[in-house]
Amino acid sequence: MVTKLFTGALAWAQVVVFPLLLIGPANLNWRLQLVAATLLPLCLALAQARIWPTPLLGLAALLGLITCSAQWTLLPLVLAQLVLAWLLSTQSLTPPPAASVWLIECFFLQVTLTTVASQVIDLTALIDLALVMLPFLISIWAKSLPGWLDVIAIILVAGVGMYLQHLTLLSALAIVLLAVVVSNRSHPLRPLWVNAAALATGLIIIATRLHG
């Protein structure tokens, strides 16, 4: 149970910490929809860790409706998150597909949370969220890619982030290093490592922007 709780808590932090810091705590208005959008990933993360999945998925559906109540255009995105969460909580997937589905779900959850928190999501925020997700999505499938294609692709993503001025040299190097270290090229894939590395990446991006 302790391991499941830690897994769920880490997955929840992976979803909420980066978007909320990206917007800035001073800019957050904790109305009902934002509270629901923050608790929704917690319910889904715990359900996917196989902690009371059915009740938590039901609660997540209610929180999803509250989240969308001010912006019904988010409803398809929330429904996609619930479907992916149901898949991860009920099906026995091997680590690479399971980790991939979670990263995609995490991205959807972050888009939802950012949209609710800031009333709208722009291309800048989408790029920031994608830069935290894509390198690790590539690293999950490193063993299945030919040669050093995974490393090249990760470097390319980091390079694009620098070109678009979303990443500093330090944050780009951190992304490449973390994504390569947690990849399954030389050891079995450990989804917890991937989640922790993605969380660390978001924190590094925020830190380098604050301190140059």
Side-chain angles (χ1 to χ4, degrees):
M1 177 62 78
V2 173
T3 301
K4 290 181 179 180
L5 285 172
F6 176 77
T7 301
L10 177 62
W12 176 65
Q14 179 190 354
V15 173
V16 303
V17 170
F18 182 55
L20 295 182
L21 289 178
L22 201 59
I23 295 167
N27 299 320
L28 296 174
N29 176 17
W30 288 99
R31 63 194 190 284
L32 182 60
Q33 288 83 2
L34 180 56
V35 173
T38 305
L39 293 177
L40 172 61
L42 179 61
C43 291
L44 296 181
L46 292 175
Q48 291 160 196
R50 309 296 171 96
I51 300 175
W52 308 307
T54 302
L56 283 173
L57 286 174
L59 179 57
L62 176 60
L63 290 170
L65 287 175
I66 296 172
T67 298
C68 298
S69 60
Q71 294 169 284
W72 288 108
T73 52
L74 291 173
L75 184 59
L77 198 56
V78 170
L79 289 175
Q81 295 158 22
L82 291 171
V83 170
L84 291 175
W86 173 83
L87 180 68
L88 288 176
S89 63
T90 59
Q91 306 299 309
S92 297
L93 302 177
T94 57
S100 299
V101 170
W102 167 246
L103 279 181
I104 293 168
E105 182 185 351
C106 179
F107 178 75
F108 287 164
L109 286 165
Q110 289 178 325
V111 170
T112 302
L113 180 59
T114 304
T115 304
V116 172
S118 60
Q119 303 298 314
V120 66
I121 187 166
D122 56 19
L123 182 60
T124 298
L126 282 174
I127 292 172
D128 284 331
L129 297 178
L131 287 171
V132 175
M133 184 267 291
L134 283 174
F136 298 100
L137 191 61
I138 295 166
S139 71
I140 287 169
W141 296 97
K143 199 171 183 178
S144 304
L145 297 174
W148 293 91
L149 184 59
D150 58 307
V151 177
I152 295 170
I154 292 167
I155 292 173
L156 181 62
V157 170
V160 169
M162 287 186 63
Y163 175 76
L164 296 175
Q165 297 184 337
H166 284 254
L167 299 176
T168 64
L169 176 60
L170 179 60
S171 56
L173 289 173
I175 284 176
V176 173
L177 179 61
L178 287 170
V180 170
V181 166
V182 301
S183 76
N184 64 349
R185 172 174 286 278
S186 58
H187 53 72
L189 182 68
R190 294 175 174 84
L192 273 179
W193 289 18
V194 176
N195 295 349
L199 173 60
T201 295
L203 292 173
I204 290 168
I205 290 174
I206 295 295
T208 54
R209 288 183 183 179
L210 289 175
H211 302 290

